[in-house]
Amino acid sequence: MDLQSTIRSIPDFPKPGILFRDITTLLQNPAALHGAIAGMTYHCQILEADVIVGIESRGFIFGPAIAQQLGVGFVPIRKPGKLPAATYTVDYALEYGTDTLEVHQDAFEAGAKAVIVDDLIATGGTAAAAAQLVTKAGATLAGFSVLIELVDLGGRSQLPNVPVKTLVSY
Ligand code: AMP
C-alpha cells in the first residue's frame, strides 16, 4: 500500500511557507487507514511496547487503535489544563515562543516500556518533550512510532537515542 499517495499536501497552511501534510485523506481511505495502523502496530510490536503513548491531538487517532491491536493500554499526553489529576509538565521551544505538554503522574507502571506515537515529526520538539514526560513519569522509553517524517528538518537529532520508526518520508 502506497500511503504517501493518500496524503494531501496543502501549501501555506496554517501560515505562509508551511507545506501542510494533511492526513485526513489517508484516514478517509479504508485501505490506507488499515495500512497505517497495521504498519505502526508492527513497529510498536518490534519495540516490545507494554504501553502506547499518544500526543494530543493526532496521536490520539492512531494510538488507541494500535494499543487495542497489541492488547496493551494507552496513555494520553495532553495540552495544559486538560488532565484532571496530578501531572508532570514540560515546556518546550517552538519556532516562536514556547508550548507545554502534560502527563498524569500515575500513568505508568514503574519501568513499563513505552512507545510514543504521533502523526508527524517535523523539528522533533514535540516528540522530544513527550519523551521527557515519559521518563519523568517513571516509564522506560522504548522508541517512537510515527506515521510521517519530514527528513530535511532533522527532527531525529532532537530525540533521545532510541529507535524512531516511520512509514512515510518527505
Ligand atoms: P514538531 O514539534 O516540529 O516535530 O512538530 C510536530 C507536530 O506539528 C506534529 O504533531 C504535527 O501534527 C504538526 N506539524 C508540524 N509540521 C507539520 C506539517 N508540515 N504538516 C502537518 N503537520 C505538521
Side-chain angles (χ1 to χ4, degrees), residues 33-159:
L33 178 61
H34 176 84
I37 291 171
M40 292 174 78
T41 300
Y42 175 67
H43 286 153
C44 291
Q45 193 170 24
I46 288 176
L47 296 171
E48 300 181 341
D50 296 324
V51 58
I52 301 298
V53 180
I55 306 174
E56 185 172 1
S57 56
R58 274 167 277 176
F60 293 2
I61 296 172
F62 299 104
I66 295 166
Q68 196 270 335
Q69 293 276 317
L70 293 178
V72 301
F74 173 78
V75 169
I77 285 186
R78 298 212 60 183
K79 293 172 182 162
K82 304 286 187 185
L83 290 170
T87 58
Y88 293 117
T89 296
V90 166
D91 298 316
Y92 62 103
L94 295 176
E95 195 180 352
Y96 301 104
T98 62
D99 217 336
T100 303
L101 288 174
E102 296 185 337
V103 73
H104 272 146
Q105 290 185 5
D106 63 356
F108 300 104
E109 303 280 337
K113 283 197 259 175
V115 176
I116 295 172
V117 166
D118 205 0
D119 66 325
L120 183 144
I121 289 187
T123 65
T126 308
Q132 281 187 53
L133 285 174
V134 163
T135 308
K136 244 183 172 175
T140 301
L141 181 64
F144 297 85
S145 172
V146 178
L147 179 62
I148 302 166
E149 178 178 14
L150 305 184
V151 178
D152 291 350
L153 296 181
R156 271 176 196 255
S157 66
Q158 302 304 312
L159 303 179

